[in-house]
Amino acid sequence: MTAWETLEIEPTDNLTAIKKAYAKGLKKHHPEEDPEGYQQLREAYDFALKQAKQGIVHTATKTAEPLQDWALDEKAVIPEHPVDEFIKKVQNLYDDFFARLEIDNWETLLQADIIWNVQHSEQLQDELIDFLQEHPYLPSSVWQLLEQTFHWSEQKEQLQERYGEETTSFLIENIAHYQQLGYDCFQKEVDIDYERYLQLRADAQAYLRNDQLEAAKAAIDRAFQLFARDPDLWHLKGVYYLRNNDYRAALHMFQEKLALSPADPDGLLYSAQLHFHFKDFQSVIADCDQLLAYHEHHVEGLFLKIKGHLELNDEVTAHQWIEKAIELHPDRPEFFPYRSRVLNEKTRNEQIELPEPTSKKKRRLNNMLFYLFMVLRRAWIYVFVFLIMLIPPIPFHYTALFLIPILWESGIGIP
């Protein structure tokens, strides 16, 4: 019986079809219930994968030699498949930790001819995605380069159909920098098990995301034993204490993070928020000043700075920052209520100067002039025609007819 007959499929170089056939066979030949059948299935699976990757599937027909003759022929020299050769280069680059962090190395690797070979594109993508799921610890710049090369974000539906929801979410989240942890803190002089450390750090982040606080603390503590100069690890511990409502400890964690990374926006924002919680408004303003010095347009930093000045009753400075915030973010309506509040507080205690009252005679004259203006504005044409008609010898009773609209406007026509 050939490998393809064991897998119950026609000879193919489609790795996905081979994997599906293997998964289907496992339902019939469970390792514990049918170890012999499982062993044959596994050998057939490994053989089929090898044949598909080597591009010699056409020789493996139903009339071919038995599986054992193919699988155990160690003397046959088969050239390495281009996809396997590429994945080996990826593995070698990944295994060199500091080389893996350099974007130039990945740019060089992704310029290989195999990347643009349509014949091997599906197999290459299958194996690369499998590799990344097992080896996910890459800087965001590398993930962005992979996205620029393979355009996975634009193929979300196709990815879900081919690889499933979990794998697709894994790719999209890494490409989108979803809670991406940093790699800038590592130095060649420090000799640690980087892969173990990165796994513990990622586990801690996942546990916090799922609100598994005790598991998160255990992972963080083990990671600290390996390496304690990672700002992201201090951040994760700060979030852990926040979830436990231990705000003092959380503030200390974020200050430790800022000692390692003074310009970190998240650390500065958390520090400002916690200082606001403790009503230390001077420290709130100091944190926000530092945050806005690095990130001028930071919306939350602007809000907290304005609120800090208002709590200190410094409406003048608060008003200045409100105007600046509106200038930087004219499309954000949240700042306008602060402007109204400041203006109200500024004018609440100021004495408003009222105009001096006018005399009755002056008010009467003003009223007369006003009504005269209104009459002339509405009936000037009638007045003009009436005066013109007084000049030629026209009987007065005809001319007097034009007094009617004038009297009407002056009597009841004034609004």
Side-chain angles (χ1 to χ4, degrees), residues 127-150:
E127 298 209 22
L128 182 59
I129 290 176
D130 284 344
F131 178 88
L132 291 172
Q133 286 186 283
E134 296 295 327
H135 308 82
Y137 307 122
L138 296 169
S140 59
S141 58
V142 176
W143 280 105
Q144 286 301 302
L145 181 61
L146 291 168
E147 164 65 9
Q148 293 169 16
T149 304
F150 297 100

Side-chain angles (χ1 to χ4, degrees), residues 55-86:
I56 53 176
V57 173
H58 62 279
T59 64
T61 62
K62 289 185 178 181
T63 59
E65 298 179 20
L67 167 65
Q68 289 77 8
D69 294 338
W70 284 90
L72 302 177
D73 185 7
E74 300 293 338
K75 297 179 181 180
V77 178
I78 302 174
E80 189 170 32
H81 193 278
V83 172
D84 287 340
E85 183 180 357
F86 177 79

